[in-house]
Each structure stands twice: as structure tokens, then as C-alpha cells.
Amino acid sequence: MARKTESADTADVLAPVTIAVGQEDLLLDRAVQEVVAAARAADADTDVRDLTSDQLQPGTLAELTSPSLFAERKVVVVRNAQDLSADTIKDVKAYFGAPAEEITLVLLHAGAAKGKGLLDAARKAGAREVACPKMTKPADRLAFVRGEFRRLGRSATPEACQALVDSIGSDLRELASAVTQLVADVEGTIDEAVVGRYYTGRAEASSFTVADRAVEGRAAEALEALRWSLSTGVAPVLITSALAQGVRAIGKLSSARGGRPADLARELGMPPWKIDRVRQQMRGWTPDGVAVALRAVAEADAGVKGGGDDPEYALEKAVVTIARAARSRGALRGDTR
């Protein structure tokens, strides 16, 4: 049996029990892959059993973790552990008290209230925990992209990371794949121009492009970007989310005290480069315009989530309303640009 001496890091990854907690599929899969890779580095013949919650019946864990004649290393993965039956949970809790040697149990748990007793018991028993939270905020996805470049030992400018998030969207697997491709194909620091060359088509279809053109008052360009986005499969709910973020950023910055971008960034929770962008976008806005735009976004959001018959029309109406609101200051002056 091929074996290697375990390093301290490997020994930590190969703790008797690992719980991966959260609902981000890519991170959950990586947590499993990390354990499997460490186990196979220690023993190339490691046996991996990957089970769904319904496959782990009462008594199954005892069978999988019983002593082997050949003393082989084993990794037992249980997905959706929050859905285990009450009797199976009893088995798993009992196992925490006396885990088998040469076996690593990996439980993937959504982290919500369901099955919380199992999660609490694992933590109390000293299980190794890996956080795998769903990344719903653009700032989280931006941090993820930066982390991916660091993980691969490469540098990318803040503008490049943002452009990649704007171009690809919310799918972490696609973001990770895009980072890997750029790292493999491009030498030196990756900048915004490089991302643009690779993902121009995607960037044009980005929900954030629709939002940027709308809050800048460029209705025709916003509508063109909207139709292109929808035709290339961008989910309407992502577009309403981007519109909401764009209008809220205008509202936050317009009501904030003056100061340096770095100070405002800390106060408003935005990166400094975004402060500069929003400052340029907010020139035609008034408080009443922000209120009108927020109502339009709320109506569009309801429309794309089943409250209307035509999500595309709901989005078009919102884009036009926001673009007009972006020119409300000019309208008050009698500006007919």
C-alpha cells in the first residue's frame, strides 16, 4: 500500500470529521476535493464513498467505518446531511464519540435550522469546519475573484477583477473557470483590457452594463444592452438586482458627506474606485429622481418574479423610468438634452 508521511497541514485536513457548512456548491465540492486529495496524498489507494442523505440509512455508517482487513484509508462523504433521518442522525452522533482510525467523515450541511442538532453535535465533538456560504453580494463575488487569482499565484488589477465579475455574473464556477483561463493564457499582471478582450461579448450582455447605462440617463443604450442581455440568457432577476444596486449607490453617495473616496468607501461600504464611478453617474440626479427610480425597480422586480405577464416589458419600463430620473436635474433646469 503506497503511503506518504503526513504533514501538519494534511493531518488537519484529515481530521476524523469535517463539516462543510453552507449552500455554495463550488465551495462544498472544493471542501470535499481538499479532503480527498489529502487522503490520496497519504495513501494512493484511499477508498472514497460519496453518498446522498437518502443513501445513508441506519446502520450504513457502521458498515462503512468498520475495521478493514487491509486497514485501508477511507473518505466517507455525506451530502445534504441536514436531510438525514432521525435514526441515522443518532448513528452519526454516536460515531462522533468514537471515530474510526484511517477514516475521514465529511458532512455537507446547508447550515440552516433543519438538522441543526447534528451540526451542533459535530462542533461540540471538535469537528473541522469549512465555511461554504452562498455568495449573494457582488462584493463577496469580487473578493472571491481576487482570492482565486491569489490562489493561483497571479496578480490582477482591481478594475480587472470587477470587469470579470460584471462580465460573468453570479455563477462561481464560471468565475473560477474564467480566472483559470486568464491565468493559463496571459503572462504578467491581468488588467481590465485583457478581461475585455476575452469577455467582450459577455460584458456587453452584463446586467451591470444595463444598470450603468440606465443610471447615466442613456436610455437607448440601456435598452439595447437589456435586449442583448435577455437574448443571451441573462436572468431577469439579475438585471433588476443590478438596477437596484445602481440606483441605491446613487442615493447613498448623494446623501453622504463630502470627503475622499477612501473615507466614503469605508462609510458606504463601497470600493474607492466605485465611489469615483458613481460620482460621475450621479450628476443629473435629484432626491425625487432616486425615489422614482427605486419605485420603478420595485415594480420591475415584482414583474419578473411572477407579478406580471411580461417580464421583458417590466424591465424595459424600469430602464426607461430610471434613465429619465437620471436626467431629472436637467429637466428641472429646462435642459432638453
Side-chain angles (χ1 to χ4, degrees), residues 18 33 64 108 146-147 245-246 255 305 337:
T18 286
Q33 292 163 7
L64 291 172
L108 276 54
R146 289 171 175 164
Q245 291 176 47
S255 61
K305 291 180 178 176
R337 287 176 295 169

PDB file of all heavy atoms in Angstrom, residues 18 33 64 108 146-147 245-246 255 305 337:
ATOM      1  N   THR A  18     -15.020  16.226   9.209  1.00  0.00           N
ATOM      2  CA  THR A  18     -15.057  17.568   8.633  1.00  0.00           C
ATOM      3  C   THR A  18     -16.508  17.905   8.323  1.00  0.00           C
ATOM      4  O   THR A  18     -17.243  17.075   7.763  1.00  0.00           O
ATOM      5  CB  THR A  18     -14.230  17.645   7.339  1.00  0.00           C
ATOM      6  OG1 THR A  18     -12.833  17.628   7.654  1.00  0.00           O
ATOM      7  CG2 THR A  18     -14.527  18.931   6.567  1.00  0.00           C
ATOM      8  N   GLN A  33     -13.034  17.901  -2.270  1.00  0.00           N
ATOM      9  CA  GLN A  33     -11.829  17.632  -3.062  1.00  0.00           C
ATOM     10  C   GLN A  33     -10.561  17.801  -2.233  1.00  0.00           C
ATOM     11  O   GLN A  33      -9.595  17.041  -2.397  1.00  0.00           O
ATOM     12  CB  GLN A  33     -11.794  18.558  -4.278  1.00  0.00           C
ATOM     13  CG  GLN A  33     -12.872  18.266  -5.305  1.00  0.00           C
ATOM     14  CD  GLN A  33     -13.090  19.408  -6.283  1.00  0.00           C
ATOM     15  OE1 GLN A  33     -12.340  20.387  -6.293  1.00  0.00           O
ATOM     16  NE2 GLN A  33     -14.122  19.299  -7.108  1.00  0.00           N
ATOM     17  N   LEU A  64     -19.715   1.141   6.777  1.00  0.00           N
ATOM     18  CA  LEU A  64     -18.665   1.836   6.024  1.00  0.00           C
ATOM     19  C   LEU A  64     -17.417   2.095   6.858  1.00  0.00           C
ATOM     20  O   LEU A  64     -16.311   2.203   6.318  1.00  0.00           O
ATOM     21  CB  LEU A  64     -19.203   3.171   5.492  1.00  0.00           C
ATOM     22  CG  LEU A  64     -20.265   3.093   4.398  1.00  0.00           C
ATOM     23  CD1 LEU A  64     -20.834   4.479   4.117  1.00  0.00           C
ATOM     24  CD2 LEU A  64     -19.670   2.510   3.118  1.00  0.00           C
ATOM     25  N   LEU A 108     -21.668  17.376   4.464  1.00  0.00           N
ATOM     26  CA  LEU A 108     -22.035  18.622   3.799  1.00  0.00           C
ATOM     27  C   LEU A 108     -23.405  19.036   4.320  1.00  0.00           C
ATOM     28  O   LEU A 108     -24.385  18.298   4.164  1.00  0.00           O
ATOM     29  CB  LEU A 108     -22.078  18.435   2.282  1.00  0.00           C
ATOM     30  CG  LEU A 108     -20.755  18.564   1.520  1.00  0.00           C
ATOM     31  CD1 LEU A 108     -19.689  17.638   2.100  1.00  0.00           C
ATOM     32  CD2 LEU A 108     -20.945  18.283   0.047  1.00  0.00           C
ATOM     33  N   ARG A 146     -10.711  37.882  -6.513  1.00  0.00           N
ATOM     34  CA  ARG A 146      -9.370  38.274  -6.056  1.00  0.00           C
ATOM     35  C   ARG A 146      -8.669  37.096  -5.395  1.00  0.00           C
ATOM     36  O   ARG A 146      -7.472  36.870  -5.610  1.00  0.00           O
ATOM     37  CB  ARG A 146      -9.489  39.438  -5.069  1.00  0.00           C
ATOM     38  CG  ARG A 146      -9.895  40.759  -5.710  1.00  0.00           C
ATOM     39  CD  ARG A 146     -10.191  41.798  -4.651  1.00  0.00           C
ATOM     40  NE  ARG A 146     -10.464  43.112  -5.220  1.00  0.00           N
ATOM     41  CZ  ARG A 146     -11.044  44.104  -4.568  1.00  0.00           C
ATOM     42  NH1 ARG A 146     -11.398  43.933  -3.295  1.00  0.00           N
ATOM     43  NH2 ARG A 146     -11.259  45.265  -5.149  1.00  0.00           N
ATOM     44  N   GLY A 147      -9.424  36.360  -4.583  1.00  0.00           N
ATOM     45  CA  GLY A 147      -8.853  35.195  -3.919  1.00  0.00           C
ATOM     46  C   GLY A 147      -8.427  34.114  -4.893  1.00  0.00           C
ATOM     47  O   GLY A 147      -7.411  33.436  -4.675  1.00  0.00           O
ATOM     48  N   GLN A 245     -28.997  47.970  -7.295  1.00  0.00           N
ATOM     49  CA  GLN A 245     -27.697  48.349  -6.752  1.00  0.00           C
ATOM     50  C   GLN A 245     -27.228  49.682  -7.318  1.00  0.00           C
ATOM     51  O   GLN A 245     -26.670  50.525  -6.591  1.00  0.00           O
ATOM     52  CB  GLN A 245     -26.673  47.266  -7.068  1.00  0.00           C
ATOM     53  CG  GLN A 245     -26.895  45.968  -6.311  1.00  0.00           C
ATOM     54  CD  GLN A 245     -25.905  44.909  -6.736  1.00  0.00           C
ATOM     55  OE1 GLN A 245     -24.712  45.167  -6.833  1.00  0.00           O
ATOM     56  NE2 GLN A 245     -26.385  43.702  -6.999  1.00  0.00           N
ATOM     57  N   GLY A 246     -27.464  49.898  -8.618  1.00  0.00           N
ATOM     58  CA  GLY A 246     -27.038  51.135  -9.243  1.00  0.00           C
ATOM     59  C   GLY A 246     -27.756  52.349  -8.684  1.00  0.00           C
ATOM     60  O   GLY A 246     -27.131  53.375  -8.375  1.00  0.00           O
ATOM     61  N   SER A 255     -26.434  61.366  -0.563  1.00  0.00           N
ATOM     62  CA  SER A 255     -26.786  61.794   0.794  1.00  0.00           C
ATOM     63  C   SER A 255     -25.600  61.758   1.754  1.00  0.00           C
ATOM     64  O   SER A 255     -25.723  62.141   2.916  1.00  0.00           O
ATOM     65  CB  SER A 255     -27.906  60.907   1.348  1.00  0.00           C
ATOM     66  OG  SER A 255     -27.485  59.553   1.415  1.00  0.00           O
ATOM     67  N   LYS A 305     -40.772  38.435 -11.072  1.00  0.00           N
ATOM     68  CA  LYS A 305     -40.920  37.319 -10.135  1.00  0.00           C
ATOM     69  C   LYS A 305     -42.341  36.767 -10.091  1.00  0.00           C
ATOM     70  O   LYS A 305     -42.761  36.180  -9.117  1.00  0.00           O
ATOM     71  CB  LYS A 305     -40.494  37.753  -8.725  1.00  0.00           C
ATOM     72  CG  LYS A 305     -38.998  38.009  -8.615  1.00  0.00           C
ATOM     73  CD  LYS A 305     -38.596  38.443  -7.217  1.00  0.00           C
ATOM     74  CE  LYS A 305     -37.097  38.653  -7.113  1.00  0.00           C
ATOM     75  NZ  LYS A 305     -36.692  39.172  -5.775  1.00  0.00           N
ATOM     76  N   ARG A 337     -31.607  68.203 -23.313  1.00  0.00           N
ATOM     77  CA  ARG A 337     -30.582  67.382 -23.972  1.00  0.00           C
ATOM     78  C   ARG A 337     -31.199  66.177 -24.658  1.00  0.00           C
ATOM     79  O   ARG A 337     -32.081  65.544 -24.101  1.00  0.00           O
ATOM     80  CB  ARG A 337     -29.577  66.890 -22.928  1.00  0.00           C
ATOM     81  CG  ARG A 337     -28.659  67.965 -22.419  1.00  0.00           C
ATOM     82  CD  ARG A 337     -27.775  67.388 -21.327  1.00  0.00           C
ATOM     83  NE  ARG A 337     -28.596  66.998 -20.162  1.00  0.00           N
ATOM     84  CZ  ARG A 337     -28.139  66.276 -19.147  1.00  0.00           C
ATOM     85  NH1 ARG A 337     -26.892  65.823 -19.177  1.00  0.00           N
ATOM     86  NH2 ARG A 337     -28.905  65.979 -18.122  1.00  0.00           N
TER      87      ARG A 337
END
